[in-house]
Amino acid sequence: SKKIQSDFFFSNRDFFWPLPGFHTITSHFGPRKSPTTGSSSNHSGIDIAAPEGTNIYSVIDGIISYGDLMEQIGCTIITENDNINVLYCHISPNYIVNVGDNISKGSIVARVGPKNVFSIPNNPYKDSNGNPTNGATTGCHLHLTIKKEA
């Protein structure tokens, strides 16, 4: 378990690291050069490199409030707890949780998705070979965003 703490934002809240054994952050929060067409130059989370199929663990206790394709961040689930939302993006399109499920911190909620997904109709995101991608992505990773709602 990894503790992330900020006195003004997440005071006294423990978070579980979503990818035990994988700690390489390939893109940090904030301004960046867009790595691919369709991706943002203001990165809303962090990207953690991990192989396709790697288990993703819940950062917090909560309820699954979303599970579907979400534009450039690809296949996504969202966990809510009070006013904290956690987005897990570029995950496998074979969802293992459903909207409304209560989940515990540290439980498996998804798997790192493939770069290419062929099962999403009208997917506008493509790689350099014209194959459909899991949102605007250059490879397998977890995009993790933690937000405090007002």
Side-chain angles (χ1 to χ4, degrees), residues 6 17 23-24 27 36-37 49 58 61 80 88 94 118 136 140 144-145:
S6 170
W17 184 252
H23 298 95
T24 301
S27 186
T36 185
T37 302
S58 181
D61 292 331
E80 292 184 11
Y88 307 84
N94 300 318
F118 296 91
C140 298
L144 180 73
T145 297

Side-chain angles (χ1 to χ4, degrees), residues 9-10 15 60 63 65 77-88 144-149:
F9 193 84
F10 297 116
F15 292 89
I60 60 172
I63 188 167
S65 63
I77 61 168
I78 300 175
T79 301
E80 292 184 11
N81 182 326
D82 294 327
N83 60 347
I84 303 295
N85 291 343
V86 180
L87 287 76
Y88 307 84
L144 180 73
T145 297
I146 301 175
K147 292 197 256 187
K148 181 180 180 185
E149 299 296 325

Side-chain angles (χ1 to χ4, degrees), residues 16-124:
F16 191 88
W17 184 252
L19 292 168
F22 297 93
H23 298 95
T24 301
I25 296 174
T26 56
S27 186
H28 292 271
F29 174 82
R32 68 174 182 173
K33 181 179 182 226
S34 298
T36 185
T37 302
S39 65
S40 175
S41 59
N42 186 24
H43 201 223
S44 66
I46 61 171
D47 291 344
I48 308 164
E52 177 182 345
T54 301
N55 288 334
I56 300 169
Y57 296 84
S58 181
V59 170
I60 60 172
D61 292 331
I63 188 167
I64 302 296
S65 63
Y66 182 89
D68 205 348
L69 183 70
M70 189 179 272
E71 300 179 352
Q72 73 269 15
I73 55 177
C75 297
T76 299
I77 61 168
I78 300 175
T79 301
E80 292 184 11
N81 182 326
D82 294 327
N83 60 347
I84 303 295
N85 291 343
V86 180
L87 287 76
Y88 307 84
C89 312
H90 304 298
I91 65 171
S92 170
N94 300 318
Y95 297 98
I96 60 175
V97 294
N98 298 299
V99 172
D101 286 354
N102 285 300
I103 50 94
S104 299
K105 175 173 61 176
S107 63
I108 298 171
V109 292
R111 291 187 175 80
V112 174
K115 174 184 175 187
N116 298 106
V117 290
F118 296 91
S119 59
I120 299 170
N122 305 314
N123 183 353

